[in-house]
Amino acid sequence: MKKLLFLLMLVPALFAAAQTITPEQYIELYKDIAIREMKRMGVPAAITLAQGILETEHGNSVLVKKSNNHFGIKCKSSWTAGGVSHDDDAQGECFRQYANAEDSYRDHSNFLRGNGRYGFLFKLDVKDYSGWAYGLKKAGYATNPAYPQIVIRNIEKYNLQQYTLAAADEAPKFNSGQYQDDPEEKEAPVVIAARTTEIKEYQDGEIETGFSAAYKKEGKKVVDAVKGTSLLKIADANNIRLIKLLEYNGLEDGLLQQDQVIYLEPKPLAAIAKQMMHTVQPKEGLYSISKKYGVTVQQLKDWNSLNGEVLSVGQQLVVSK
């Protein structure tokens, strides 16, 4: 009997590691764990699943397959268990390694529950997924400016709120004033190490699957990608996390809406400065511009002192702060 139970527990892990899985399959594999963690620690199940989908490319990222790390949590000085080396903001960073997915989900709950800077989140209604999403960004969980919108979109697209509602009355209440945690290390300024590995060349140097081989532009590694290319495919082919690719380029997950250069490393300051302004093109509206830059329509209105949504061709808009 014990042997049978062990095999049943092992099947999801083997299934996830053996083939590419869909978001729906990822949710089915881990929804029960997310609900249990909500009952144990108070982190909404919808938030946990939405973060897992984003951080692991719904169970298909290189990092999750070699470490069972579903939430991109780095080692830091307080972590004494195993870790794996993985390129992220810099080469060879240490990410926490877990024996299985459930350990990762538990550590994610403990990480949020035990770290004082996230304490205010537990004052929110467990059903307030929007407040949690924006609160995670405010507390510094991610640097991608579109992180809250992506988390919210995942919740709404895959109806993840149903898992929060299933056990909302059983979620514990915590006094955020009682939180204790090891002192948080201040992160040193990111230094991009020089790339020493040879850039992979594609057959005959031609563009395949919608993007070119990587090359250097203004000292940063980039690819040329065509409209309709999957950002996940670009991330996988270049061994970086999808969430970082989105952050570097100010994009949301999905297919490219136009031909463009995709940065595989943080953009140089000159490129960032260029992206802060947008020239309105024919037939463009605030909604399409907001999607392009991963911001909200209301942010565009606030940054540009707009009372309505009427734009003029050639008008200059501030698109990031």
Side-chain angles (χ1 to χ4, degrees):
M1 186 60 153
K2 288 183 179 178
K3 192 172 184 180
L4 176 61
L5 287 173
F6 173 77
L7 289 173
L8 288 173
M9 291 174 65
L10 193 62
V11 167
L14 291 175
F15 177 77
Q19 62 184 43
T20 298
I21 64 174
T22 66
E24 291 79 8
Q25 289 170 326
Y26 180 90
I27 294 162
E28 186 62 28
L29 283 169
Y30 303 117
K31 61 181 174 61
D32 291 335
I33 300 176
I35 292 171
R36 285 200 300 272
E37 284 305 299
M38 184 179 73
K39 292 179 181 180
R40 185 177 74 91
M41 282 295 190
V43 181
I47 287 290
T48 299
L49 288 168
Q51 286 190 278
I53 290 170
L54 173 57
E55 295 283 351
T56 70
E57 298 148 34
H58 49 84
N60 298 302
S61 71
V62 173
L63 177 62
V64 77
K65 288 179 178 178
K66 69 182 181 180
S67 69
N68 282 314
N69 189 329
H70 283 249
F71 301 96
I73 301 178
K74 297 179 183 178
C75 294
K76 299 192 179 293
S77 61
S78 59
W79 182 252
T80 57
V84 297
S85 177
H86 187 73
D87 292 353
D88 197 55
D89 290 319
Q91 285 184 303
E93 293 190 272
C94 181
F95 283 81
R96 299 183 183 189
Q97 185 175 28
Y98 307 95
N100 50 55
E102 183 159 9
D103 285 352
S104 178
Y105 271 69
R106 286 180 64 85
D107 189 49
H108 170 258
S109 300
N110 294 343
F111 179 78
L112 296 180
R113 163 68 177 83
N115 193 320
R117 62 181 170 149
Y118 298 109
F120 71 95
L121 291 171
F122 294 89
K123 295 179 181 179
L124 300 175
D125 187 329
V126 74
K127 299 186 289 293
D128 182 9
Y129 63 83
S130 179
W132 269 83
Y134 280 96
L136 286 167
K137 175 67 175 68
K138 179 182 177 182
Y141 192 97
T143 56
N144 185 350
Y147 193 86
Q149 294 96 320
I150 298 172
V151 169
I152 290 169
R153 186 192 63 191
N154 282 344
I155 291 171
E156 295 176 348
K157 181 176 181 179
Y158 301 112
N159 190 24
L160 302 181
Q161 184 70 341
Q162 64 179 305
Y163 305 115
T164 293
L165 297 177
D169 294 338
E170 300 177 64
K173 309 296 181 186
F174 292 104
N175 179 352
S176 61
Q178 296 178 352
Y179 285 70
Q180 295 290 332
D181 189 30
D182 294 330
E184 186 74 12
E185 281 189 331
K186 289 187 178 179
E187 302 224 357
V190 174
V191 177
I192 304 300
R195 297 286 180 176
T196 56
T197 55
E198 184 179 349
I199 294 173
K200 180 180 178 182
E201 293 290 345
Y202 288 83
Q203 184 178 4
D204 299 326
E206 296 178 354
I207 293 178
E208 293 186 356
T209 61
F211 56 97
S212 70
Y215 66 94
K216 290 283 187 176
K217 178 179 180 180
E218 297 177 310
K220 300 295 182 180
K221 195 165 147 186
V222 302
V223 297
D224 293 321
V226 299
K227 180 179 179 180
T229 300
S230 164
L231 288 163
L232 175 56
K233 285 186 178 179
I234 296 176
D236 284 346
N238 290 280
N239 194 30
I240 67 172
R241 297 167 66 211
L242 175 62
I243 190 172
K244 286 298 176 183
L245 189 76
L246 301 178
E247 177 186 322
Y248 298 155
N249 295 279
L251 297 170
E252 291 192 26
D253 189 14
L255 304 180
L256 284 177
Q257 302 302 305
Q258 60 184 12
D259 295 353
Q260 67 185 92
V261 173
I262 297 296
Y263 282 82
L264 306 178
E265 299 176 315
K267 289 184 179 182
L269 293 177
I272 294 172
K274 278 183 192 176
Q275 196 177 40
M276 291 182 70
M277 299 298 297
H278 174 81
T279 302
V280 177
Q281 303 299 312
K283 299 183 179 180
E284 274 191 326
L286 286 176
Y287 179 77
S288 61
I289 296 171
S290 72
K291 290 299 180 186
K292 181 175 182 179
Y293 292 98
V295 299
T296 66
V297 170
Q298 190 57 51
Q299 284 175 316
L300 291 177
K301 286 183 176 181
D302 292 343
W303 296 339
N304 295 279
S305 301
L306 300 175
N307 294 321
E309 298 192 6
V310 177
L311 301 176
S312 303
V313 174
Q315 182 177 351
Q316 294 287 308
L317 294 179
V318 177
V319 293
S320 65
K321 286 286 189 178

